[in-house]
Amino acid sequence: MLITIAGLVIAWSLRPPAVPDPGAATPQDELRCGATACRSVVKQEVGVDSVELVVGEGAGRIWTSGASGPNVFELTIASSGARIDGSSLQCVDAEVAVCLVRGEVGGEVLGEVLVRRSGAWTRAQVPYVASGAYLALHDVDQDAVADVVAVQRACKVDADCGRWFAQVFSPAGGELGCTPVVREAESLPGWPTVTPDPSDLRQCGA
C-alpha cells in the first residue's frame, strides 16, 4: 500500500506543466475600466510614443506607451458622461508634445490634456469646457507648443445665442486671451478650424 501511494506521489510530481488556456485568463486590474473590461476607441502615434483611449461602462483610461514607458491616466471626462469616439483624441508632436482628449455631453465639449516634456507624460491640471461645441489644439502664441482653443457662446446656457468667441489656453496653465465676440460662429478666424492670431486676442471679459 505504501509503495502504491509513493508511486502516485512521484507520478504527480513528474507530470508535465499544464498549458494555460488563454481564453480563461483573469483580467488584470489595469485592463478594466470601471466594472467592465476596457475596449480601445482610438490610438495615435506621437513621435516615439503611442497614446490610446480605452473605455468601459462609465469610465475610461488614457494609455501611453513607447520610449516614455507605460503610463495610465484616468479619463476623467468619460466619468462625467462625455461621449468618447474616434474623433476624441488630437495630438501634436513636438519637443513638447500635447494631446487633447475631448468628448461631447449636454451640448458642450469637455476636454483634458496630457503634455510630454523631457520624455515624460504628465496631466495638465486644468479641465476645459467649450460651450460652443468646438475644442481643439492650435499653436496660437507661436511658441512651438500647441494651445487649447475653445469656442464659447456669449449667452446663457440653452438660450438662443447669436454671440460667439474663441477662448485660448496654454497647456502649461493660464488663459492667453479671447477673440472679440462675433454674431455667428462662421465668422471666427479660420472657421471651421478655429485658428486665431495673437493679434486677435484680448483679455477675456474685457
Side-chain angles (χ1 to χ4, degrees):
M1 182 68 176
L2 293 176
I3 294 173
T4 301
I5 293 174
L8 290 173
V9 170
I10 293 171
W12 174 260
S13 66
L14 295 178
R15 77 195 190 287
V19 177
D21 178 5
T26 301
Q28 298 297 315
D29 178 66
E30 64 268 23
L31 296 179
R32 302 195 67 79
C33 295
T36 60
C38 296
R39 60 178 178 83
S40 177
V41 176
V42 62
K43 182 178 182 179
Q44 286 190 20
E45 302 302 317
V46 188
V48 294
D49 292 326
S50 294
V51 177
E52 183 175 12
L53 306 185
V54 296
V55 299
E57 187 65 36
R61 301 190 181 186
I62 310 170
W63 291 72
T64 69
S65 59
S68 65
N71 298 280
V72 181
F73 300 89
E74 291 299 319
L75 184 51
T76 60
I77 64 171
S79 59
S80 298
R83 185 180 70 249
I84 306 301
D85 57 25
S87 63
S88 291
L89 180 62
Q90 180 189 8
C91 295
V92 176
D93 186 29
E95 184 175 350
V96 177
V98 180
C99 284
L100 170 66
V101 183
R102 59 202 172 187
E104 188 273 336
V105 59
E108 298 181 327
V109 179
L110 306 183
E112 56 191 293
V113 164
L114 295 184
V115 179
R116 185 188 62 202
R117 290 187 179 89
S118 302
W121 289 98
T122 58
R123 183 198 297 276
Q125 294 304 312
V126 179
Y128 302 96
V129 179
S131 61
Y134 178 94
L135 191 65
L137 297 175
H138 175 64
D139 183 10
V140 174
D141 58 4
Q142 301 172 6
D143 64 350
V145 180
D147 303 303
V148 179
V149 179
V151 170
Q152 310 291 8
R153 301 164 77 245
C155 50
K156 294 181 180 179
V157 177
D158 297 330
D160 185 13
C161 187
R163 293 166 55 81
W164 306 78
F165 66 94
Q167 188 176 19
V168 183
F169 302 90
S170 165
E175 191 177 63
L176 297 182
C178 291
T179 64
V181 174
V182 295
R183 299 297 299 177
E184 52 188 19
E186 289 79 3
S187 297
L188 291 169
W191 183 269
T193 303
V194 183
T195 54
D197 188 83
S199 62
D200 296 327
L201 301 181
R202 62 186 184 184
Q203 183 177 352
C204 295

